[in-house]
Amino acid sequence: MTTEIPAPGQVFLAGPMPRFGLPRYLGRQVQVAPDAPIGIFGHLSCPAVLTPSLLAHVPRTAIIRDFHCVTTWTAPRVQWEGWRFADVWAALLAELAQPDVTHVMVSAHDGYQACVPLEELLHPDVLLADHMNGAPLMPAHGAPLRLITPQLYGYKNIKHLRRLEFLPAPVTSLAGRFLSHPRGRVDLEERSGTGVSRFWRWVYRTQLSGYLRGARALSERSLRIAGP
């Protein structure tokens, strides 16, 4: 759902959505073949791969939703197109998963990963997206396929999907609990596992202008490298 009022603690951006992420990932240039498969591992009857030919059997959908970064900016009314995770789950993954699966470790080709509750992934707005604003995803925004969870902060919206590992319990590091929340819901301001959401809102807001300058510079550099 999109709104005319920002989510709690957020401000609307003017202009295009910048590339976002932790500094050690922001500058990484990732080039992945459009038909690269996604590995499926973990608590399953057997490992599997998710390929474009399998996704072709799942209906496509498009949504328009606000996109929320934990650093307090929101890109309003971003259009995403791809496959609902719930549809992919029902058509291809549910029969492989063990009954005790509660979380999925989502990993990217750039090395980033995040643990997401299966319950959140089955939300009807969650997509495996390959298009953004009417055009194929570019590398700066997660090509060839990325996870979109509009109800969660951007750190749960993993770019450059590489593998899904199905788990019977959440997995996170101490640093991960400090820098992110196990769930990351926007409406509850779950910015960090430490709680104190208003403190983290203040911390991010004081750094926002500098962060956006750096992120936009990286986006422009990515566009130059990617070419037309």
Side-chain angles (χ1 to χ4, degrees), residues 11-226:
V11 294
F12 282 140
L13 280 183
M17 186 174 87
R19 179 172 170 83
F20 71 94
L22 293 172
R24 65 178 177 272
Y25 300 105
L26 270 177
R28 295 182 182 178
Q29 298 298 321
V30 178
Q31 297 289 341
V32 185
D35 59 350
I38 298 172
I40 311 296
F41 300 94
H43 277 230
L44 306 169
S45 57
C46 63
V49 292
L50 191 60
T51 63
S53 61
L54 288 174
L55 287 174
H57 295 285
V58 180
R60 291 180 64 85
T61 190
I63 62 172
I64 297 176
R65 298 291 183 273
D66 295 344
F67 184 93
H68 310 282
C69 181
V70 72
T71 59
T72 74
W73 59 260
T74 289
R77 297 185 60 78
V78 183
Q79 183 185 45
W80 303 100
E81 183 180 343
W83 299 267
R84 281 194 176 95
F85 186 91
D87 293 339
V88 175
W89 170 263
L92 304 172
L93 302 177
E95 64 181 8
L96 297 176
Q98 299 290 347
D100 61 350
V101 169
T102 60
H103 289 73
V104 181
M105 183 66 76
V106 186
S107 301
H109 282 277
D110 62 7
Y112 182 74
Q113 61 181 17
C115 189
V116 186
L118 179 60
E119 178 184 7
E120 295 292 351
L121 292 174
L122 295 177
H123 188 286
D125 284 348
V126 172
L127 297 187
L128 301 179
D130 63 352
H131 280 67
M132 174 183 173
N133 292 331
L137 275 178
M138 298 189 68
H141 288 299
L145 197 66
R146 66 169 299 162
L147 180 67
I148 291 297
T149 57
Q151 78 278 20
L152 306 181
Y153 285 119
Y155 59 74
K156 299 290 188 179
N157 291 243
I158 291 82
K159 300 185 283 286
H160 317 295
L161 286 181
R162 176 175 175 266
R163 62 180 279 163
L164 305 175
E165 182 180 359
F166 290 85
L167 304 168
V171 174
T172 186
S173 64
L174 178 61
R177 289 194 296 271
F178 182 77
L179 292 172
S180 62
H181 188 278
R183 211 171 187 100
R185 290 170 291 190
V186 175
D187 59 344
L188 298 179
E189 285 203 71
E190 293 175 338
R191 300 182 192 273
S192 166
T194 62
V196 291
S197 60
R198 289 186 179 275
F199 168 76
W200 287 105
R201 180 201 297 186
W202 173 82
V203 169
Y204 287 127
R205 186 62 56 80
T206 61
Q207 302 174 6
L208 181 59
S209 60
Y211 167 78
L212 288 175
R213 284 196 299 271
R216 284 174 171 143
L218 280 169
S219 292
E220 292 171 1
R221 187 175 73 183
S222 297
L223 288 172
R224 289 195 299 270
I225 292 173

